[in-house]
Amino acid sequence: MVSKRYFGEYSLMIGRFQPLHNGHMEVIRKCAAESENLTIGIGSAQYSHESDNPFTAGERYLMIDEVMKAEGITNYCIVPIEDLNRYSLWVAQVESLSPPFSRVYSNNPLTRRLFSEAGYELKDSPLYNREVYSGTVVRKKMIEGDGWRPLVPKKVAEVIDFIDGVERLREISGGE
Ligand code: ATP
Ligand code: MG
């Protein structure tokens, strides 16, 4: 078997990034600084145009990529990951889509359990200012007004404006 270390060590972090917010960025900065390479997995990649999942995987990819460029972080790659809706197979799904990795950053109990059962090293990722740095809060503020902008990196707001994301979210979450 080819040694994974030959290509350097990869860490993994997964989120839905609906949208990427300042809490995600705190973790991403920390992981990128601590790791040789960081793989950012875009979870639930197949969903878009839903009130809980308004943005496509490609739009989320652009948000992440633009922010990383703006921050000068280069030791990362982005991998969209569709849900399988079968937790016993999910780690294999992630493995099939990501460069080989050895460490996983997560504070989600299910994610931690699944990857530790599969033998991965789990690293804690603390939550920053969770009352406001949360995808759910950002989407709620987008629907209600303009208060979402301070909660996301500037480049994310630019991407959302470019794709008319707020109007999309308002329309799809409006009642019939
Ligand atoms: P949603 O409310 O849409 O579920 P979310 O804010 O929970 O969004 P996700 O896109 O679901 O974010 O991504 C979850 C990942 O992001 C988890 O690993 C979690 O640890 C991390 N994360 C989310 N919010 C924060 C935060 N405020 N600080 C640090 N990490 C965060
Ligand atoms: Mg979440």
Side-chain angles (χ1 to χ4, degrees), residues 13 20-30 64 67-68 71 73 153:
M13 180 220 169
L20 175 67
H21 56 63
N22 293 336
H24 293 130
M25 273 320 291
E26 293 282 348
V27 181
I28 287 173
R29 276 188 214 109
K30 173 173 146 25
I64 298 166
V67 173
M68 299 300 260
E71 299 219 355
I73 302 173

PDB file of all heavy atoms in Angstrom, residues 13 20-30 64 67-68 71 73 153:
ATOM      1  N   MET A  13     -12.485  18.899   7.294  1.00  0.00           N
ATOM      2  CA  MET A  13     -13.564  19.585   8.011  1.00  0.00           C
ATOM      3  C   MET A  13     -14.780  19.603   7.092  1.00  0.00           C
ATOM      4  O   MET A  13     -14.650  19.882   5.902  1.00  0.00           O
ATOM      5  CB  MET A  13     -13.144  21.018   8.336  1.00  0.00           C
ATOM      6  CG  MET A  13     -14.198  21.789   9.085  1.00  0.00           C
ATOM      7  SD  MET A  13     -14.332  23.472   8.541  1.00  0.00           S
ATOM      8  CE  MET A  13     -15.839  23.960   9.380  1.00  0.00           C
ATOM      9  N   LEU A  20     -21.376  30.048   4.078  1.00  0.00           N
ATOM     10  CA  LEU A  20     -20.134  30.155   4.866  1.00  0.00           C
ATOM     11  C   LEU A  20     -20.236  31.395   5.750  1.00  0.00           C
ATOM     12  O   LEU A  20     -20.528  32.489   5.259  1.00  0.00           O
ATOM     13  CB  LEU A  20     -18.955  30.307   3.899  1.00  0.00           C
ATOM     14  CG  LEU A  20     -17.563  30.560   4.501  1.00  0.00           C
ATOM     15  CD1 LEU A  20     -17.062  29.364   5.283  1.00  0.00           C
ATOM     16  CD2 LEU A  20     -16.570  30.912   3.398  1.00  0.00           C
ATOM     17  N   HIS A  21     -20.035  31.229   7.076  1.00  0.00           N
ATOM     18  CA  HIS A  21     -20.125  32.392   7.981  1.00  0.00           C
ATOM     19  C   HIS A  21     -18.835  32.526   8.808  1.00  0.00           C
ATOM     20  O   HIS A  21     -17.923  31.692   8.697  1.00  0.00           O
ATOM     21  CB  HIS A  21     -21.382  32.297   8.856  1.00  0.00           C
ATOM     22  CG  HIS A  21     -21.506  31.033   9.666  1.00  0.00           C
ATOM     23  ND1 HIS A  21     -20.607  30.694  10.644  1.00  0.00           N
ATOM     24  CD2 HIS A  21     -22.427  30.027   9.628  1.00  0.00           C
ATOM     25  CE1 HIS A  21     -20.980  29.546  11.207  1.00  0.00           C
ATOM     26  NE2 HIS A  21     -22.082  29.101  10.593  1.00  0.00           N
ATOM     27  N   ASN A  22     -18.811  33.571   9.651  1.00  0.00           N
ATOM     28  CA  ASN A  22     -17.572  33.869  10.389  1.00  0.00           C
ATOM     29  C   ASN A  22     -17.183  32.768  11.370  1.00  0.00           C
ATOM     30  O   ASN A  22     -16.000  32.600  11.671  1.00  0.00           O
ATOM     31  CB  ASN A  22     -17.716  35.199  11.129  1.00  0.00           C
ATOM     32  CG  ASN A  22     -17.813  36.376  10.173  1.00  0.00           C
ATOM     33  OD1 ASN A  22     -17.352  36.292   9.038  1.00  0.00           O
ATOM     34  ND2 ASN A  22     -18.432  37.465  10.619  1.00  0.00           N
ATOM     35  N   GLY A  23     -18.161  32.010  11.873  1.00  0.00           N
ATOM     36  CA  GLY A  23     -17.845  30.879  12.758  1.00  0.00           C
ATOM     37  C   GLY A  23     -17.093  29.798  11.996  1.00  0.00           C
ATOM     38  O   GLY A  23     -16.066  29.282  12.470  1.00  0.00           O
ATOM     39  N   HIS A  24     -17.584  29.443  10.793  1.00  0.00           N
ATOM     40  CA  HIS A  24     -16.856  28.491   9.953  1.00  0.00           C
ATOM     41  C   HIS A  24     -15.422  28.976   9.731  1.00  0.00           C
ATOM     42  O   HIS A  24     -14.468  28.198   9.769  1.00  0.00           O
ATOM     43  CB  HIS A  24     -17.507  28.358   8.564  1.00  0.00           C
ATOM     44  CG  HIS A  24     -18.862  27.731   8.545  1.00  0.00           C
ATOM     45  ND1 HIS A  24     -19.928  28.301   7.880  1.00  0.00           N
ATOM     46  CD2 HIS A  24     -19.336  26.575   9.074  1.00  0.00           C
ATOM     47  CE1 HIS A  24     -20.983  27.517   8.003  1.00  0.00           C
ATOM     48  NE2 HIS A  24     -20.673  26.475   8.720  1.00  0.00           N
ATOM     49  N   MET A  25     -15.294  30.279   9.442  1.00  0.00           N
ATOM     50  CA  MET A  25     -13.961  30.803   9.095  1.00  0.00           C
ATOM     51  C   MET A  25     -12.977  30.710  10.249  1.00  0.00           C
ATOM     52  O   MET A  25     -11.794  30.460  10.038  1.00  0.00           O
ATOM     53  CB  MET A  25     -14.062  32.260   8.612  1.00  0.00           C
ATOM     54  CG  MET A  25     -14.347  32.406   7.146  1.00  0.00           C
ATOM     55  SD  MET A  25     -13.476  31.220   6.083  1.00  0.00           S
ATOM     56  CE  MET A  25     -11.757  31.749   6.225  1.00  0.00           C
ATOM     57  N   GLU A  26     -13.475  30.904  11.495  1.00  0.00           N
ATOM     58  CA  GLU A  26     -12.576  30.749  12.652  1.00  0.00           C
ATOM     59  C   GLU A  26     -11.980  29.339  12.659  1.00  0.00           C
ATOM     60  O   GLU A  26     -10.783  29.151  12.870  1.00  0.00           O
ATOM     61  CB  GLU A  26     -13.355  30.979  13.961  1.00  0.00           C
ATOM     62  CG  GLU A  26     -13.840  32.401  14.157  1.00  0.00           C
ATOM     63  CD  GLU A  26     -12.728  33.337  14.617  1.00  0.00           C
ATOM     64  OE1 GLU A  26     -11.646  32.860  15.004  1.00  0.00           O
ATOM     65  OE2 GLU A  26     -12.939  34.564  14.558  1.00  0.00           O
ATOM     66  N   VAL A  27     -12.857  28.341  12.424  1.00  0.00           N
ATOM     67  CA  VAL A  27     -12.390  26.951  12.432  1.00  0.00           C
ATOM     68  C   VAL A  27     -11.457  26.690  11.253  1.00  0.00           C
ATOM     69  O   VAL A  27     -10.405  26.062  11.403  1.00  0.00           O
ATOM     70  CB  VAL A  27     -13.585  25.971  12.334  1.00  0.00           C
ATOM     71  CG1 VAL A  27     -13.085  24.537  12.368  1.00  0.00           C
ATOM     72  CG2 VAL A  27     -14.555  26.207  13.459  1.00  0.00           C
ATOM     73  N   ILE A  28     -11.835  27.170  10.088  1.00  0.00           N
ATOM     74  CA  ILE A  28     -11.031  26.915   8.891  1.00  0.00           C
ATOM     75  C   ILE A  28      -9.633  27.509   9.057  1.00  0.00           C
ATOM     76  O   ILE A  28      -8.633  26.863   8.744  1.00  0.00           O
ATOM     77  CB  ILE A  28     -11.741  27.466   7.634  1.00  0.00           C
ATOM     78  CG1 ILE A  28     -12.945  26.574   7.295  1.00  0.00           C
ATOM     79  CG2 ILE A  28     -10.782  27.559   6.451  1.00  0.00           C
ATOM     80  CD1 ILE A  28     -13.833  27.108   6.184  1.00  0.00           C
ATOM     81  N   ARG A  29      -9.561  28.732   9.600  1.00  0.00           N
ATOM     82  CA  ARG A  29      -8.236  29.351   9.825  1.00  0.00           C
ATOM     83  C   ARG A  29      -7.393  28.516  10.769  1.00  0.00           C
ATOM     84  O   ARG A  29      -6.212  28.270  10.518  1.00  0.00           O
ATOM     85  CB  ARG A  29      -8.412  30.752  10.434  1.00  0.00           C
ATOM     86  CG  ARG A  29      -8.661  31.820   9.407  1.00  0.00           C
ATOM     87  CD  ARG A  29      -8.635  33.211  10.063  1.00  0.00           C
ATOM     88  NE  ARG A  29      -9.595  34.039   9.378  1.00  0.00           N
ATOM     89  CZ  ARG A  29     -10.751  34.449   9.873  1.00  0.00           C
ATOM     90  NH1 ARG A  29     -11.096  34.139  11.117  1.00  0.00           N
ATOM     91  NH2 ARG A  29     -11.577  35.162   9.151  1.00  0.00           N
ATOM     92  N   LYS A  30      -8.021  28.067  11.858  1.00  0.00           N
ATOM     93  CA  LYS A  30      -7.299  27.262  12.852  1.00  0.00           C
ATOM     94  C   LYS A  30      -6.838  25.935  12.226  1.00  0.00           C
ATOM     95  O   LYS A  30      -5.680  25.552  12.370  1.00  0.00           O
ATOM     96  CB  LYS A  30      -8.241  27.006  14.040  1.00  0.00           C
ATOM     97  CG  LYS A  30      -7.737  26.041  15.101  1.00  0.00           C
ATOM     98  CD  LYS A  30      -8.729  26.063  16.269  1.00  0.00           C
ATOM     99  CE  LYS A  30      -8.990  24.817  17.035  1.00  0.00           C
ATOM    100  NZ  LYS A  30      -8.181  23.730  17.193  1.00  0.00           N
ATOM    101  N   ILE A  64     -16.320  29.735  -0.580  1.00  0.00           N
ATOM    102  CA  ILE A  64     -15.146  29.276   0.169  1.00  0.00           C
ATOM    103  C   ILE A  64     -13.867  29.682  -0.564  1.00  0.00           C
ATOM    104  O   ILE A  64     -12.948  30.262   0.016  1.00  0.00           O
ATOM    105  CB  ILE A  64     -15.180  27.741   0.357  1.00  0.00           C
ATOM    106  CG1 ILE A  64     -16.409  27.324   1.168  1.00  0.00           C
ATOM    107  CG2 ILE A  64     -13.899  27.252   1.039  1.00  0.00           C
ATOM    108  CD1 ILE A  64     -16.703  25.820   1.116  1.00  0.00           C
ATOM    109  N   VAL A  67     -13.048  33.435  -0.362  1.00  0.00           N
ATOM    110  CA  VAL A  67     -12.596  33.869   0.962  1.00  0.00           C
ATOM    111  C   VAL A  67     -11.176  33.386   1.220  1.00  0.00           C
ATOM    112  O   VAL A  67     -10.337  34.115   1.748  1.00  0.00           O
ATOM    113  CB  VAL A  67     -13.554  33.359   2.065  1.00  0.00           C
ATOM    114  CG1 VAL A  67     -12.990  33.662   3.440  1.00  0.00           C
ATOM    115  CG2 VAL A  67     -14.921  33.999   1.906  1.00  0.00           C
ATOM    116  N   MET A  68     -10.875  32.157   0.822  1.00  0.00           N
ATOM    117  CA  MET A  68      -9.523  31.624   1.043  1.00  0.00           C
ATOM    118  C   MET A  68      -8.500  32.454   0.255  1.00  0.00           C
ATOM    119  O   MET A  68      -7.428  32.782   0.764  1.00  0.00           O
ATOM    120  CB  MET A  68      -9.459  30.151   0.637  1.00  0.00           C
ATOM    121  CG  MET A  68     -10.403  29.260   1.429  1.00  0.00           C
ATOM    122  SD  MET A  68     -10.085  29.259   3.204  1.00  0.00           S
ATOM    123  CE  MET A  68      -9.170  27.746   3.348  1.00  0.00           C
ATOM    124  N   GLU A  71      -7.925  35.681   1.991  1.00  0.00           N
ATOM    125  CA  GLU A  71      -7.160  35.563   3.240  1.00  0.00           C
ATOM    126  C   GLU A  71      -5.748  35.034   3.007  1.00  0.00           C
ATOM    127  O   GLU A  71      -4.979  34.890   3.961  1.00  0.00           O
ATOM    128  CB  GLU A  71      -7.900  34.640   4.216  1.00  0.00           C
ATOM    129  CG  GLU A  71      -9.275  35.189   4.558  1.00  0.00           C
ATOM    130  CD  GLU A  71      -9.648  34.993   6.021  1.00  0.00           C
ATOM    131  OE1 GLU A  71      -8.886  34.344   6.764  1.00  0.00           O
ATOM    132  OE2 GLU A  71     -10.705  35.503   6.403  1.00  0.00           O
ATOM    133  N   ILE A  73      -4.893  31.988   2.225  1.00  0.00           N
ATOM    134  CA  ILE A  73      -4.717  30.588   2.657  1.00  0.00           C
ATOM    135  C   ILE A  73      -4.640  29.729   1.395  1.00  0.00           C
ATOM    136  O   ILE A  73      -5.510  29.832   0.519  1.00  0.00           O
ATOM    137  CB  ILE A  73      -5.894  30.129   3.555  1.00  0.00           C
ATOM    138  CG1 ILE A  73      -6.010  31.034   4.779  1.00  0.00           C
ATOM    139  CG2 ILE A  73      -5.708  28.663   3.973  1.00  0.00           C
ATOM    140  CD1 ILE A  73      -7.245  30.781   5.640  1.00  0.00           C
ATOM    141  N   PRO A 153     -18.027  36.618   5.915  1.00  0.00           N
ATOM    142  CA  PRO A 153     -16.900  37.340   5.305  1.00  0.00           C
ATOM    143  C   PRO A 153     -17.388  38.192   4.120  1.00  0.00           C
ATOM    144  O   PRO A 153     -18.385  37.862   3.469  1.00  0.00           O
ATOM    145  CB  PRO A 153     -15.979  36.217   4.811  1.00  0.00           C
ATOM    146  CG  PRO A 153     -16.327  35.026   5.637  1.00  0.00           C
ATOM    147  CD  PRO A 153     -17.801  35.153   5.916  1.00  0.00           C
TER     148      PRO A 153
END
